[in-house]
């Protein structure tokens, strides 16, 4: 084989130089990134996103103390000024005997701050919030900032159900309360949507009671698509903790939790789902038994 043959090294080098020159000329002619890829580039492979962190750093010191100062100095006063939230049923979370799942309707980004405002200091300090991984954690800086303020962890809405349930159950078993929005995403019109069965699976797997909550007024404060909140009245109604029956399946229990949230929303006065006055009085009594760690 001679050096000037079709397969010789000089011929191959000349071909590579010609291809590179063509690529440079294409760029100079305003080649766009969404146009055809230059033929000298390697084939484009599938993009595999990095797995989301469980943000364990946000649940350790000194971050917990920093978040306590941020919430008491900024988040809670701002929520009070914007919404003057009325809270009903706080006695159910005044002295929790064990970690619980807070299941609430979801119509606004203001929901989380209103829930945290409604909790007692002790319950709030031991509460993590499930946040949509595909929304809040697409940009690491935003995800970390939200976790610092609200103690969130990424929760996938589009698959990996077993992994998500496992991470959630581990948090509950570690002594953390968990805020879930069983609808999966914010309501487009403020009305309560169908609950997904994950909350029932978690309750059956961990034995954690489910505390139903209904938030009224958050949709008017910050509806879907609005960037900045508007002042307006809000009410958070906390219901009596619920447990699955001995043979109650996850879907049946989830349906019962959904009905409890709808009952909290519909009644003009405190409904029976919040318990009798005797039960509420007993729930408000100080207890010696406390979870912790």
């Amino acid at each position: 084989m001679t050096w000037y043959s079709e397969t010789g090294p000089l011929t191959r080098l000349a071909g590579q130089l010609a291809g590179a020159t063509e690529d440079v000329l294409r760029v100079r002619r305003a080649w766009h990134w969404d146009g055809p890829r230059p033929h000298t580039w390697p084939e484009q492979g599938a993009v595999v996103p990095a797995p989301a962190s469980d943000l364990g750093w946000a649940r350790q010191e000194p971050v917990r103390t920093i978040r306590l100062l941020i919430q008491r100095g900024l988040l809670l006063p701002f929520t009070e000024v914007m919404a003057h939230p009325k809270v009903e049923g706080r006695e159910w979370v005044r002295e929790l005997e064990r970690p619980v799942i807070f299941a609430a309707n979801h119509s606004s980004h203001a929901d989380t701050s209103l829930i945290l405002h409604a909790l007692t200091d002790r319950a709030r300090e031991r509460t993590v919030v499930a946040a949509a991984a595909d929304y809040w954690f697409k940009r690491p800086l935003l995800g970390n900032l939200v976790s610092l303020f609200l103690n969130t962890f990424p929760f996938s809405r589009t698959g990996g159900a077993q992994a998500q349930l496992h991470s959630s159950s581990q948090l509950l078993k570690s002594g953390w309360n968990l805020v879930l929005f069983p609808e999966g995403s914010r309501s487009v019109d403020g009305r309560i949507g169908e609950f997904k069965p994950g909350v029932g699976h978690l309750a059956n797997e961990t034995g954690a009671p489910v505390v139903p909550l209904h938030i009224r007024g958050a949709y008017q404060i910050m509806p879907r698509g609005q960037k900045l909140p508007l002042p307006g009245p809000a009410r958070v109604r906390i219901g009596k903790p619920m447990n699955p029956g001995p043979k109650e399946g996850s879907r049946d229990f989830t349906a019962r939790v959904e009905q409890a949230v709808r009952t909290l929303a519909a009644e003009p006065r405190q409904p029976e789902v919040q318990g009798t006055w005797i039960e509420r009085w007993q729930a408000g009594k100080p207890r010696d038994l406390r979870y912790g760690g």
Side-chain angles (χ1 to χ4, degrees), residues 152-182:
T152 57
F153 77 100
F155 193 91
S156 175
R157 301 182 292 185
T158 57
Q162 289 301 322
Q164 297 301 321
L165 292 175
H166 175 73
S167 61
S168 302
S169 65
Q170 288 300 110
L171 288 170
L172 287 165
K173 292 173 183 177
S174 299
W176 292 93
N177 304 312
L178 179 63
V179 173
L180 283 181
F181 298 108

PDB file of all heavy atoms in Angstrom, residues 152-182:
ATOM      1  N   THR A 152     -37.260  20.407  52.815  1.00  0.00           N
ATOM      2  CA  THR A 152     -37.878  19.552  51.803  1.00  0.00           C
ATOM      3  C   THR A 152     -36.968  18.393  51.436  1.00  0.00           C
ATOM      4  O   THR A 152     -35.774  18.398  51.720  1.00  0.00           O
ATOM      5  CB  THR A 152     -38.178  20.362  50.533  1.00  0.00           C
ATOM      6  OG1 THR A 152     -36.959  20.949  50.059  1.00  0.00           O
ATOM      7  CG2 THR A 152     -39.193  21.454  50.801  1.00  0.00           C
ATOM      8  N   PHE A 153     -37.565  17.389  50.802  1.00  0.00           N
ATOM      9  CA  PHE A 153     -36.795  16.315  50.187  1.00  0.00           C
ATOM     10  C   PHE A 153     -37.451  15.985  48.851  1.00  0.00           C
ATOM     11  O   PHE A 153     -38.659  16.149  48.687  1.00  0.00           O
ATOM     12  CB  PHE A 153     -36.706  15.086  51.093  1.00  0.00           C
ATOM     13  CG  PHE A 153     -37.951  14.237  51.119  1.00  0.00           C
ATOM     14  CD1 PHE A 153     -38.038  13.076  50.370  1.00  0.00           C
ATOM     15  CD2 PHE A 153     -39.043  14.608  51.899  1.00  0.00           C
ATOM     16  CE1 PHE A 153     -39.180  12.301  50.390  1.00  0.00           C
ATOM     17  CE2 PHE A 153     -40.184  13.831  51.926  1.00  0.00           C
ATOM     18  CZ  PHE A 153     -40.253  12.674  51.165  1.00  0.00           C
ATOM     19  N   PRO A 154     -36.669  15.547  47.853  1.00  0.00           N
ATOM     20  CA  PRO A 154     -37.233  15.329  46.515  1.00  0.00           C
ATOM     21  C   PRO A 154     -38.149  14.121  46.479  1.00  0.00           C
ATOM     22  O   PRO A 154     -37.801  13.039  46.936  1.00  0.00           O
ATOM     23  CB  PRO A 154     -35.988  15.126  45.634  1.00  0.00           C
ATOM     24  CG  PRO A 154     -34.919  14.694  46.565  1.00  0.00           C
ATOM     25  CD  PRO A 154     -35.211  15.336  47.885  1.00  0.00           C
ATOM     26  N   PHE A 155     -39.330  14.314  45.908  1.00  0.00           N
ATOM     27  CA  PHE A 155     -40.325  13.249  45.772  1.00  0.00           C
ATOM     28  C   PHE A 155     -40.741  13.183  44.310  1.00  0.00           C
ATOM     29  O   PHE A 155     -41.264  14.147  43.756  1.00  0.00           O
ATOM     30  CB  PHE A 155     -41.544  13.533  46.659  1.00  0.00           C
ATOM     31  CG  PHE A 155     -42.465  12.359  46.813  1.00  0.00           C
ATOM     32  CD1 PHE A 155     -42.292  11.462  47.852  1.00  0.00           C
ATOM     33  CD2 PHE A 155     -43.508  12.158  45.926  1.00  0.00           C
ATOM     34  CE1 PHE A 155     -43.142  10.379  47.999  1.00  0.00           C
ATOM     35  CE2 PHE A 155     -44.360  11.079  46.071  1.00  0.00           C
ATOM     36  CZ  PHE A 155     -44.171  10.192  47.110  1.00  0.00           C
ATOM     37  N   SER A 156     -40.493  12.046  43.670  1.00  0.00           N
ATOM     38  CA  SER A 156     -40.776  11.902  42.251  1.00  0.00           C
ATOM     39  C   SER A 156     -42.266  11.696  42.004  1.00  0.00           C
ATOM     40  O   SER A 156     -42.907  10.888  42.672  1.00  0.00           O
ATOM     41  CB  SER A 156     -39.984  10.730  41.658  1.00  0.00           C
ATOM     42  OG  SER A 156     -40.344  10.517  40.313  1.00  0.00           O
ATOM     43  N   ARG A 157     -42.808  12.435  41.032  1.00  0.00           N
ATOM     44  CA  ARG A 157     -44.212  12.273  40.639  1.00  0.00           C
ATOM     45  C   ARG A 157     -44.356  11.423  39.389  1.00  0.00           C
ATOM     46  O   ARG A 157     -45.478  11.168  38.944  1.00  0.00           O
ATOM     47  CB  ARG A 157     -44.838  13.650  40.371  1.00  0.00           C
ATOM     48  CG  ARG A 157     -44.799  14.579  41.539  1.00  0.00           C
ATOM     49  CD  ARG A 157     -45.469  15.891  41.231  1.00  0.00           C
ATOM     50  NE  ARG A 157     -44.751  16.689  40.248  1.00  0.00           N
ATOM     51  CZ  ARG A 157     -45.086  17.917  39.880  1.00  0.00           C
ATOM     52  NH1 ARG A 157     -46.152  18.485  40.417  1.00  0.00           N
ATOM     53  NH2 ARG A 157     -44.381  18.584  38.985  1.00  0.00           N
ATOM     54  N   THR A 158     -43.229  10.979  38.812  1.00  0.00           N
ATOM     55  CA  THR A 158     -43.286  10.344  37.490  1.00  0.00           C
ATOM     56  C   THR A 158     -42.604   8.982  37.472  1.00  0.00           C
ATOM     57  O   THR A 158     -41.977   8.612  36.502  1.00  0.00           O
ATOM     58  CB  THR A 158     -42.615  11.248  36.448  1.00  0.00           C
ATOM     59  OG1 THR A 158     -41.256  11.507  36.858  1.00  0.00           O
ATOM     60  CG2 THR A 158     -43.361  12.557  36.311  1.00  0.00           C
ATOM     61  N   GLY A 159     -42.671   8.241  38.534  1.00  0.00           N
ATOM     62  CA  GLY A 159     -42.076   6.909  38.518  1.00  0.00           C
ATOM     63  C   GLY A 159     -41.178   6.686  39.714  1.00  0.00           C
ATOM     64  O   GLY A 159     -40.963   7.545  40.554  1.00  0.00           O
ATOM     65  N   GLY A 160     -40.625   5.464  39.775  1.00  0.00           N
ATOM     66  CA  GLY A 160     -39.777   5.106  40.898  1.00  0.00           C
ATOM     67  C   GLY A 160     -40.543   5.074  42.203  1.00  0.00           C
ATOM     68  O   GLY A 160     -40.037   5.506  43.240  1.00  0.00           O
ATOM     69  N   ALA A 161     -41.773   4.556  42.152  1.00  0.00           N
ATOM     70  CA  ALA A 161     -42.643   4.621  43.327  1.00  0.00           C
ATOM     71  C   ALA A 161     -42.048   3.883  44.518  1.00  0.00           C
ATOM     72  O   ALA A 161     -42.115   4.366  45.658  1.00  0.00           O
ATOM     73  CB  ALA A 161     -44.024   4.047  42.980  1.00  0.00           C
ATOM     74  N   GLN A 162     -41.466   2.719  44.282  1.00  0.00           N
ATOM     75  CA  GLN A 162     -40.923   1.938  45.388  1.00  0.00           C
ATOM     76  C   GLN A 162     -39.798   2.683  46.091  1.00  0.00           C
ATOM     77  O   GLN A 162     -39.712   2.713  47.325  1.00  0.00           O
ATOM     78  CB  GLN A 162     -40.430   0.580  44.869  1.00  0.00           C
ATOM     79  CG  GLN A 162     -41.544  -0.366  44.455  1.00  0.00           C
ATOM     80  CD  GLN A 162     -42.495  -0.674  45.601  1.00  0.00           C
ATOM     81  OE1 GLN A 162     -42.087  -0.815  46.750  1.00  0.00           O
ATOM     82  NE2 GLN A 162     -43.783  -0.762  45.286  1.00  0.00           N
ATOM     83  N   ALA A 163     -38.901   3.301  45.312  1.00  0.00           N
ATOM     84  CA  ALA A 163     -37.795   4.053  45.907  1.00  0.00           C
ATOM     85  C   ALA A 163     -38.314   5.246  46.697  1.00  0.00           C
ATOM     86  O   ALA A 163     -37.809   5.562  47.783  1.00  0.00           O
ATOM     87  CB  ALA A 163     -36.827   4.507  44.820  1.00  0.00           C
ATOM     88  N   GLN A 164     -39.343   5.936  46.174  1.00  0.00           N
ATOM     89  CA  GLN A 164     -39.890   7.093  46.865  1.00  0.00           C
ATOM     90  C   GLN A 164     -40.571   6.680  48.166  1.00  0.00           C
ATOM     91  O   GLN A 164     -40.405   7.329  49.198  1.00  0.00           O
ATOM     92  CB  GLN A 164     -40.886   7.821  45.956  1.00  0.00           C
ATOM     93  CG  GLN A 164     -40.279   8.388  44.689  1.00  0.00           C
ATOM     94  CD  GLN A 164     -39.164   9.371  44.967  1.00  0.00           C
ATOM     95  OE1 GLN A 164     -39.239  10.158  45.898  1.00  0.00           O
ATOM     96  NE2 GLN A 164     -38.110   9.313  44.173  1.00  0.00           N
ATOM     97  N   LEU A 165     -41.329   5.598  48.119  1.00  0.00           N
ATOM     98  CA  LEU A 165     -41.998   5.119  49.328  1.00  0.00           C
ATOM     99  C   LEU A 165     -40.982   4.665  50.362  1.00  0.00           C
ATOM    100  O   LEU A 165     -41.163   4.859  51.566  1.00  0.00           O
ATOM    101  CB  LEU A 165     -42.960   3.988  48.981  1.00  0.00           C
ATOM    102  CG  LEU A 165     -44.188   4.389  48.156  1.00  0.00           C
ATOM    103  CD1 LEU A 165     -44.993   3.164  47.768  1.00  0.00           C
ATOM    104  CD2 LEU A 165     -45.061   5.366  48.929  1.00  0.00           C
ATOM    105  N   HIS A 166     -39.878   4.064  49.895  1.00  0.00           N
ATOM    106  CA  HIS A 166     -38.847   3.603  50.824  1.00  0.00           C
ATOM    107  C   HIS A 166     -38.190   4.786  51.529  1.00  0.00           C
ATOM    108  O   HIS A 166     -38.027   4.773  52.760  1.00  0.00           O
ATOM    109  CB  HIS A 166     -37.789   2.785  50.081  1.00  0.00           C
ATOM    110  CG  HIS A 166     -36.643   2.374  50.949  1.00  0.00           C
ATOM    111  ND1 HIS A 166     -36.758   1.393  51.913  1.00  0.00           N
ATOM    112  CD2 HIS A 166     -35.346   2.835  51.015  1.00  0.00           C
ATOM    113  CE1 HIS A 166     -35.592   1.241  52.532  1.00  0.00           C
ATOM    114  NE2 HIS A 166     -34.723   2.102  52.012  1.00  0.00           N
ATOM    115  N   SER A 167     -37.814   5.826  50.773  1.00  0.00           N
ATOM    116  CA  SER A 167     -37.173   6.984  51.392  1.00  0.00           C
ATOM    117  C   SER A 167     -38.127   7.693  52.343  1.00  0.00           C
ATOM    118  O   SER A 167     -37.726   8.153  53.417  1.00  0.00           O
ATOM    119  CB  SER A 167     -36.667   7.953  50.315  1.00  0.00           C
ATOM    120  OG  SER A 167     -37.740   8.435  49.519  1.00  0.00           O
ATOM    121  N   SER A 168     -39.407   7.762  51.973  1.00  0.00           N
ATOM    122  CA  SER A 168     -40.391   8.396  52.848  1.00  0.00           C
ATOM    123  C   SER A 168     -40.584   7.602  54.135  1.00  0.00           C
ATOM    124  O   SER A 168     -40.654   8.169  55.233  1.00  0.00           O
ATOM    125  CB  SER A 168     -41.729   8.542  52.121  1.00  0.00           C
ATOM    126  OG  SER A 168     -41.591   9.303  50.945  1.00  0.00           O
ATOM    127  N   SER A 169     -40.661   6.288  54.003  1.00  0.00           N
ATOM    128  CA  SER A 169     -40.848   5.453  55.198  1.00  0.00           C
ATOM    129  C   SER A 169     -39.630   5.522  56.107  1.00  0.00           C
ATOM    130  O   SER A 169     -39.763   5.496  57.337  1.00  0.00           O
ATOM    131  CB  SER A 169     -41.134   4.007  54.792  1.00  0.00           C
ATOM    132  OG  SER A 169     -40.020   3.427  54.142  1.00  0.00           O
ATOM    133  N   GLN A 170     -38.432   5.642  55.532  1.00  0.00           N
ATOM    134  CA  GLN A 170     -37.227   5.762  56.349  1.00  0.00           C
ATOM    135  C   GLN A 170     -37.250   7.053  57.158  1.00  0.00           C
ATOM    136  O   GLN A 170     -36.822   7.071  58.321  1.00  0.00           O
ATOM    137  CB  GLN A 170     -35.975   5.720  55.462  1.00  0.00           C
ATOM    138  CG  GLN A 170     -35.675   4.348  54.875  1.00  0.00           C
ATOM    139  CD  GLN A 170     -35.450   3.305  55.957  1.00  0.00           C
ATOM    140  OE1 GLN A 170     -36.264   2.407  56.156  1.00  0.00           O
ATOM    141  NE2 GLN A 170     -34.349   3.439  56.671  1.00  0.00           N
ATOM    142  N   LEU A 171     -37.738   8.130  56.561  1.00  0.00           N
ATOM    143  CA  LEU A 171     -37.850   9.385  57.298  1.00  0.00           C
ATOM    144  C   LEU A 171     -38.841   9.261  58.451  1.00  0.00           C
ATOM    145  O   LEU A 171     -38.576   9.728  59.569  1.00  0.00           O
ATOM    146  CB  LEU A 171     -38.279  10.508  56.352  1.00  0.00           C
ATOM    147  CG  LEU A 171     -37.223  10.989  55.357  1.00  0.00           C
ATOM    148  CD1 LEU A 171     -37.855  11.914  54.319  1.00  0.00           C
ATOM    149  CD2 LEU A 171     -36.094  11.707  56.077  1.00  0.00           C
ATOM    150  N   LEU A 172     -39.973   8.618  58.191  1.00  0.00           N
ATOM    151  CA  LEU A 172     -40.965   8.429  59.253  1.00  0.00           C
ATOM    152  C   LEU A 172     -40.411   7.558  60.370  1.00  0.00           C
ATOM    153  O   LEU A 172     -40.589   7.858  61.559  1.00  0.00           O
ATOM    154  CB  LEU A 172     -42.232   7.804  58.673  1.00  0.00           C
ATOM    155  CG  LEU A 172     -43.116   8.717  57.815  1.00  0.00           C
ATOM    156  CD1 LEU A 172     -44.111   7.890  57.012  1.00  0.00           C
ATOM    157  CD2 LEU A 172     -43.843   9.731  58.689  1.00  0.00           C
ATOM    158  N   LYS A 173     -39.721   6.498  59.995  1.00  0.00           N
ATOM    159  CA  LYS A 173     -39.159   5.599  61.003  1.00  0.00           C
ATOM    160  C   LYS A 173     -38.020   6.249  61.774  1.00  0.00           C
ATOM    161  O   LYS A 173     -37.674   5.800  62.876  1.00  0.00           O
ATOM    162  CB  LYS A 173     -38.676   4.317  60.333  1.00  0.00           C
ATOM    163  CG  LYS A 173     -39.819   3.463  59.776  1.00  0.00           C
ATOM    164  CD  LYS A 173     -39.299   2.284  58.970  1.00  0.00           C
ATOM    165  CE  LYS A 173     -40.457   1.493  58.364  1.00  0.00           C
ATOM    166  NZ  LYS A 173     -39.980   0.371  57.507  1.00  0.00           N
ATOM    167  N   SER A 174     -37.432   7.305  61.203  1.00  0.00           N
ATOM    168  CA  SER A 174     -36.361   8.021  61.888  1.00  0.00           C
ATOM    169  C   SER A 174     -36.885   9.125  62.797  1.00  0.00           C
ATOM    170  O   SER A 174     -36.090   9.853  63.395  1.00  0.00           O
ATOM    171  CB  SER A 174     -35.399   8.635  60.857  1.00  0.00           C
ATOM    172  OG  SER A 174     -34.800   7.637  60.061  1.00  0.00           O
ATOM    173  N   GLY A 175     -38.199   9.270  62.869  1.00  0.00           N
ATOM    174  CA  GLY A 175     -38.774  10.235  63.797  1.00  0.00           C
ATOM    175  C   GLY A 175     -39.225  11.540  63.187  1.00  0.00           C
ATOM    176  O   GLY A 175     -39.573  12.475  63.916  1.00  0.00           O
ATOM    177  N   TRP A 176     -39.281  11.615  61.853  1.00  0.00           N
ATOM    178  CA  TRP A 176     -39.694  12.854  61.190  1.00  0.00           C
ATOM    179  C   TRP A 176     -41.159  12.783  60.800  1.00  0.00           C
ATOM    180  O   TRP A 176     -41.622  11.768  60.266  1.00  0.00           O
ATOM    181  CB  TRP A 176     -38.855  13.090  59.934  1.00  0.00           C
ATOM    182  CG  TRP A 176     -37.415  13.389  60.221  1.00  0.00           C
ATOM    183  CD1 TRP A 176     -36.392  12.492  60.269  1.00  0.00           C
ATOM    184  CD2 TRP A 176     -36.855  14.663  60.517  1.00  0.00           C
ATOM    185  NE1 TRP A 176     -35.214  13.136  60.574  1.00  0.00           N
ATOM    186  CE2 TRP A 176     -35.472  14.473  60.729  1.00  0.00           C
ATOM    187  CE3 TRP A 176     -37.371  15.949  60.614  1.00  0.00           C
ATOM    188  CZ2 TRP A 176     -34.608  15.520  61.034  1.00  0.00           C
ATOM    189  CZ3 TRP A 176     -36.516  17.001  60.918  1.00  0.00           C
ATOM    190  CH2 TRP A 176     -35.148  16.782  61.124  1.00  0.00           C
ATOM    191  N   ASN A 177     -41.898  13.867  61.044  1.00  0.00           N
ATOM    192  CA  ASN A 177     -43.223  14.013  60.448  1.00  0.00           C
ATOM    193  C   ASN A 177     -43.054  14.308  58.965  1.00  0.00           C
ATOM    194  O   ASN A 177     -42.054  14.890  58.548  1.00  0.00           O
ATOM    195  CB  ASN A 177     -43.991  15.159  61.106  1.00  0.00           C
ATOM    196  CG  ASN A 177     -44.109  14.991  62.601  1.00  0.00           C
ATOM    197  OD1 ASN A 177     -44.456  13.939  63.098  1.00  0.00           O
ATOM    198  ND2 ASN A 177     -43.797  16.062  63.340  1.00  0.00           N
ATOM    199  N   LEU A 178     -44.056  13.936  58.187  1.00  0.00           N
ATOM    200  CA  LEU A 178     -43.954  14.072  56.740  1.00  0.00           C
ATOM    201  C   LEU A 178     -45.178  14.787  56.186  1.00  0.00           C
ATOM    202  O   LEU A 178     -46.312  14.361  56.430  1.00  0.00           O
ATOM    203  CB  LEU A 178     -43.819  12.688  56.098  1.00  0.00           C
ATOM    204  CG  LEU A 178     -43.720  12.606  54.584  1.00  0.00           C
ATOM    205  CD1 LEU A 178     -42.464  13.321  54.092  1.00  0.00           C
ATOM    206  CD2 LEU A 178     -43.696  11.147  54.134  1.00  0.00           C
ATOM    207  N   VAL A 179     -44.955  15.896  55.463  1.00  0.00           N
ATOM    208  CA  VAL A 179     -46.041  16.605  54.777  1.00  0.00           C
ATOM    209  C   VAL A 179     -46.140  16.072  53.358  1.00  0.00           C
ATOM    210  O   VAL A 179     -45.168  16.122  52.597  1.00  0.00           O
ATOM    211  CB  VAL A 179     -45.794  18.126  54.746  1.00  0.00           C
ATOM    212  CG1 VAL A 179     -46.851  18.815  53.883  1.00  0.00           C
ATOM    213  CG2 VAL A 179     -45.812  18.702  56.148  1.00  0.00           C
ATOM    214  N   LEU A 180     -47.308  15.549  53.006  1.00  0.00           N
ATOM    215  CA  LEU A 180     -47.566  15.048  51.661  1.00  0.00           C
ATOM    216  C   LEU A 180     -48.768  15.783  51.065  1.00  0.00           C
ATOM    217  O   LEU A 180     -49.719  16.122  51.778  1.00  0.00           O
ATOM    218  CB  LEU A 180     -47.868  13.546  51.674  1.00  0.00           C
ATOM    219  CG  LEU A 180     -46.716  12.564  51.839  1.00  0.00           C
ATOM    220  CD1 LEU A 180     -47.254  11.138  51.803  1.00  0.00           C
ATOM    221  CD2 LEU A 180     -45.672  12.746  50.752  1.00  0.00           C
ATOM    222  N   PHE A 181     -48.707  15.985  49.765  1.00  0.00           N
ATOM    223  CA  PHE A 181     -49.852  16.502  49.011  1.00  0.00           C
ATOM    224  C   PHE A 181     -50.322  15.369  48.103  1.00  0.00           C
ATOM    225  O   PHE A 181     -49.811  15.199  46.990  1.00  0.00           O
ATOM    226  CB  PHE A 181     -49.461  17.739  48.200  1.00  0.00           C
ATOM    227  CG  PHE A 181     -48.996  18.887  49.048  1.00  0.00           C
ATOM    228  CD1 PHE A 181     -47.665  19.259  49.080  1.00  0.00           C
ATOM    229  CD2 PHE A 181     -49.907  19.584  49.831  1.00  0.00           C
ATOM    230  CE1 PHE A 181     -47.236  20.314  49.854  1.00  0.00           C
ATOM    231  CE2 PHE A 181     -49.491  20.655  50.626  1.00  0.00           C
ATOM    232  CZ  PHE A 181     -48.149  21.009  50.637  1.00  0.00           C
ATOM    233  N   PRO A 182     -51.279  14.554  48.561  1.00  0.00           N
ATOM    234  CA  PRO A 182     -51.639  13.334  47.825  1.00  0.00           C
ATOM    235  C   PRO A 182     -52.215  13.569  46.432  1.00  0.00           C
ATOM    236  O   PRO A 182     -52.297  12.616  45.645  1.00  0.00           O
ATOM    237  CB  PRO A 182     -52.684  12.668  48.743  1.00  0.00           C
ATOM    238  CG  PRO A 182     -52.426  13.232  50.095  1.00  0.00           C
ATOM    239  CD  PRO A 182     -51.984  14.635  49.849  1.00  0.00           C
TER     240      PRO A 182
END
